[in-house]
Every structure is written in C-alpha cells, then in structure tokens.
Amino acid sequence: MVSGGVPLMKKFLHLDIDAFYASVEQLDNPRLRGKPVIVGGRDNRGVVATCSYEARKFGVRSAMPIAIARKKCPDGIFLPTRFARYEEKSAEIQAVYKEYSPLYQTVGLDEAYLDVSHYADAVPIAKEIKRRIQAECGLTCSIGLSYNMSLAKIASDLKKPDAFVIIRPDDAEHVLRELPIGAINGIGKKSQEMLERRGITTVEQFWQLSRDEVVKLFGKYGQSLYQRVRGIDHREIVMDRSIKSISRETTLSFDLYEKEQILQVAEELLAELETDLHSELPDCDAQTLTLKIKFSDFTNRSKQRRKQPQESWRDLLEELLVEVDVTRGVRLVGVGFSAFHDRHEQKGEQVRYEQLSLFPYLM
Ligand code: TTP
C-alpha cells in the first residue's frame, strides 16, 4: 500500500487489430469480405503471415506452410503481402489512439499498449477508441483493459475478434487459472514445449512451481515470470526511441561569407526543425543542437552542444557559429536536434502506483 492512502491502480489498454493484413485486404477489396483470405508466401512456397477468421475455421494459422494451408482450405484466396499499405493503415490507427494518451508503446504494426491511468474511467475511452478505429480506419480491433500490461494483453486475446474485455483485480486469479500457459506474454513456443515435457500446460499447474524452480528454468527472467503468472507486472510503457536525431539542411544558391547571413539561414532551419520535432516527437524535448557547415571547398565542419536550461536554441546556435571560421565561404548550412528526452518520464516518478498482491497464498 502507498503509505497513508488508498493504493492507486494503473490502467493499461492493449489494442490488437483483428487479422490485420487479411482485414486490410478485405477492406480494400470488398469482394474478399466474408471469404477465407490467406496472406503471405508465394505460389506454394513460404508461410502464412495471417489469415481472415473465415480461413481460421478451416484450421489455417499464422506461420503454417502455404502448401499445408492450401490443403486445409483449397477454396481460400491466397494473396501476397503489401507492406507499404499495412504501414499506411498502421499510421492511421496510431493517429487515433495517440490522441488518448501520451504514453503508448507500439508492438509491430497492429498492436499497442496505452497507459490510460489519467482517466477516472477508462472503459468509455476504450470503447471510443474501438469505435473510432472501426469508423475512421475501417478495421475491427480487440481491446483489453487491466491494471498492468500483461493482463491487458491477456484480456485483448480472450474473446477475439472485435472484443472488449476487462480484467479487474478480483477477476485476475480466476481468469489466469483457466489459461493455457502459452497465453502468458513471454512464454513462447519453445518455453511451452519445455514446460509441456514437465507436464505443465496450464497457468494453474505453473503456480505449483516454487520461485526457485521458475528461476532455474528461466534464468533471470524467471523472477518476473513468477510474478506475471500471478497477475503482477510492474513494467511501464517504453516509448519508441527509434528516432535518434532529426535535422534540416539547405544548400545555398551563392556561397556566403557573412556570419550574419549564415545565422539567418540557420535560424530559419531551426524554426522548421522545431516544427518537425513537435510533430514527429510530440512528447519529447531535444537536449542537443548540432550545426553543420559545408564550405565552398566541400570540406565539412560540425559542432554540437547541449543546451543549458535557461538558454534559447537561437543563442546556442549563435554560440556554435561564432566558433566557425567562415572566411572560406559557406555553401551548405544544416541544423539538427538529438538526445531526446521524454517529458512525461519525470512526472511519472512523482506518483507511486501499487499493484495488489492478488493471491497472497501463492506468493
Ligand atoms: P497478430 O496480431 O499476431 O495476428 P493477426 O493480426 O493476424 O490476428 P489476430 O490478432 O486477430 O489473431 O499479427 C499481426 C500481423 O503480423 C499479422 O496480420 C501478420 C503479421 N504476422 C506475420 O507476418 N507472421 C506471423 O507469424 C504472425 C503471428 C503475424
């Protein structure tokens, strides 16, 4: 318990588009709707990436060799993947859910976790996201809502497709008890087989293992797994940090020799860069500025410095330029931001959240 008060419960959504690639194909071609659509592979080679729920009725599954899928579903419609289109749809979906929380974590193109702890009631939010993804993107999704990431994912998987499932603290033990062990995020095919050899196929059977036994079987990861199967998961959203830097540059029509003129060009680029930062990484601040200069003899000079809290980007830019000798003439100016910092991370530290020990007798 948080000392002196009621424990605060976190709230996470896990969102997963149903049969993603196949649903996009059905969206783009109405004649495919309601039909067994199988995406992936080529001719009779390769494996199924995914298939529509109509094809799943025939026993077709992801990662199944196409040749086998053809045998199971001879009337299936087999299509190649169109990644550019899936990426496009993925961006549309992300644009919807990002409106609801600055703390989101994408997993592949069609899955995401959202921290929605800031809503007093996250249920209408989840329903609204689901409705909007259907209306605005033309796709159905399944959403799970719970008090940690692991349970939110389990919830979204429980009643696929087109489902919304909540796992409340009081439901967790019951829901977990019934699950096959493979439903726990982090237990993949190999772990599943290893556990099966020990006669463990359900979460309830896994509960019988002691903490030491789980650590012996899974190494370091065993500690968190031991907790996860008991409905405890302290992971936080990890924002996508794939963007390491952003920059803008321009080649000048004439070589410039005056610092004032060069500064003016650099300032214009800086203004554009700030707009880029705002749209590409809306939750991040940059900490470092880079000035890049290409001289008329095609040699380059690049200077980089961290901004002091009270300093403006413009002042820092000027400071960097002062240190560059421009007498050779400048033909290209570039500015860049890097060392991004998530604004919300610090705020998060001020609030402590507690997860209840759900079944103390199993701890
Ligand atoms: P998943 O979310 O695992 O599955 P899905 O969207 O096809 O269906 P559902 O969640 O309703 O069960 O995968 C997302 C996409 O990733 C999927 O549409 C295709 C691709 N994928 C592969 O390419 N290979 C695979 O083995 C899997 C599992 C998915």
Side-chain angles (χ1 to χ4, degrees):
M1 295 276 274
V2 175
S3 58
V6 179
L8 292 165
M9 197 69 83
K10 280 231 165 194
K11 294 167 201 162
F12 290 95
L13 298 183
H14 179 259
L15 182 154
D16 191 353
I17 305 295
D18 302 317
F20 182 49
Y21 297 178
S23 301
V24 175
E25 297 303 335
Q26 289 177 321
L27 174 73
D28 288 353
N29 182 352
R31 281 177 304 179
L32 300 177
R33 294 180 196 167
K35 305 237 170 83
V37 172
I38 296 148
V39 183
R42 238 183 201 201
D43 305 324
N44 244 17
R45 289 172 294 125
V47 295
V48 174
T50 193
C51 57
S52 65
Y53 278 78
E54 293 84 357
R56 294 181 198 197
K57 287 186 198 145
F58 294 87
V60 181
R61 295 285 178 271
S62 295
M64 178 181 275
I66 294 285
I68 295 182
R70 276 191 197 278
K71 279 198 188 116
K72 288 191 179 279
C73 189
D75 294 328
I77 300 158
F78 289 77
L79 300 171
T81 47
R82 292 187 300 148
F83 284 109
R85 180 64 179 139
Y86 309 145
E87 278 168 4
E88 210 169 75
K89 292 307 287 182
S90 177
E92 282 178 30
I93 297 156
Q94 289 185 30
V96 172
Y97 65 67
K98 280 177 185 175
E99 281 185 34
Y100 294 86
S101 176
L103 290 175
Y104 57 84
Q105 182 174 337
T106 54
V107 183
L109 290 179
D110 78 323
E111 264 184 65
Y113 292 94
L114 257 81
D115 185 330
V116 288
S117 307
H118 51 296
Y119 292 104
D121 186 359
V123 175
I125 300 302
K127 287 183 179 166
E128 187 174 308
I129 293 175
K130 199 164 159 14
R131 185 188 52 72
R132 282 188 58 193
I133 287 178
Q134 167 104 64
E136 295 169 33
C137 312
L139 297 167
T140 66
C141 65
S142 295
I143 295 188
L145 166 62
S146 196
Y147 55 90
N148 67 38
M149 291 169 71
S150 168
L151 286 168
K153 178 160 172 67
I154 287 171
S156 75
D157 263 347
L158 278 180
K159 293 187 181 155
K160 267 184 155 292
D162 202 10
F164 172 49
V165 176
I166 307 168
I167 301 182
R168 295 193 165 84
D170 288 347
D171 311 327
E173 180 179 352
H174 171 71
V175 171
L176 286 164
R177 184 185 296 281
E178 313 266 299
L179 289 178
I181 193 64
I184 300 293
N185 191 214
I187 299 196
K189 238 185 165 172
K190 283 207 172 122
S191 306
Q192 223 173 308
E193 284 164 11
M194 178 269 284
L195 290 168
E196 220 164 89
R197 285 195 295 276
R198 288 173 165 75
I200 297 166
T201 57
T202 66
V203 168
E204 189 172 15
Q205 288 166 336
F206 195 96
W207 284 345
Q208 308 310 318
L209 297 175
S210 70
R211 194 187 288 264
D212 285 349
E213 283 171 315
V214 177
V215 171
K216 218 177 256 170
L217 289 174
F218 290 91
K220 256 196 204 160
Y221 176 58
Q223 294 282 4
S224 51
L225 196 56
Y226 182 83
Q227 293 202 310
R228 210 176 279 183
V229 294
R230 286 164 171 78
I232 294 180
D233 175 11
H234 289 290
R235 279 177 303 160
E236 296 283 349
I237 296 286
V238 178
M239 299 292 290
D240 182 6
R241 291 179 190 281
S242 51
I243 301 178
K244 300 268 185 266
S245 64
I246 55 173
S247 62
R248 285 251 179 182
E249 59 180 44
T250 185
T251 302
L252 308 163
S253 349
F254 305 96
D255 291 352
L256 293 179
Y257 297 84
E258 299 292 329
K259 279 215 171 143
E260 208 160 299
Q261 291 172 328
I262 297 164
L263 183 62
Q264 194 184 325
V265 173
E267 278 177 357
E268 280 164 20
L269 292 170
L270 178 66
E272 290 171 15
L273 193 64
E274 286 183 293
T275 311
D276 291 347
L277 177 66
H278 188 68
S279 60
E280 285 177 38
L281 296 165
D283 308 308
C284 291
D285 291 322
Q287 298 182 98
T288 302
L289 181 69
T290 303
L291 172 69
K292 176 183 165 187
I293 300 284
K294 188 182 270 186
F295 298 103
S296 52
D297 60 2
F298 286 88
T299 55
N300 286 303
R301 178 98 198 265
S302 174
K303 296 202 65 83
Q304 191 175 68
R305 193 156 306 156
R306 192 172 272 254
K307 185 171 87 63
Q308 298 306 312
Q310 303 310 324
E311 195 177 23
S312 73
W313 287 117
R314 193 199 166 281
D315 290 345
L316 181 57
L317 189 63
E318 200 170 350
E319 189 183 306
L320 292 174
L321 185 59
V322 164
E323 296 165 19
V324 183
D325 174 10
V326 298
T327 49
R328 276 177 285 167
V330 169
R331 70 182 316 270
L332 176 148
V333 181
V335 292
F337 281 148
S338 57
F340 300 117
H341 173 262
D342 189 333
R343 239 172 275 139
H344 302 280
E345 260 173 17
Q346 283 177 329
K347 284 186 205 152
E349 284 166 15
Q350 290 159 14
V351 187
R352 281 201 54 222
Y353 290 89
E354 185 89 349
Q355 271 173 46
L356 302 175
S357 301
L358 291 173
F359 1 117
Y361 58 92
L362 282 168
M363 294 304 290

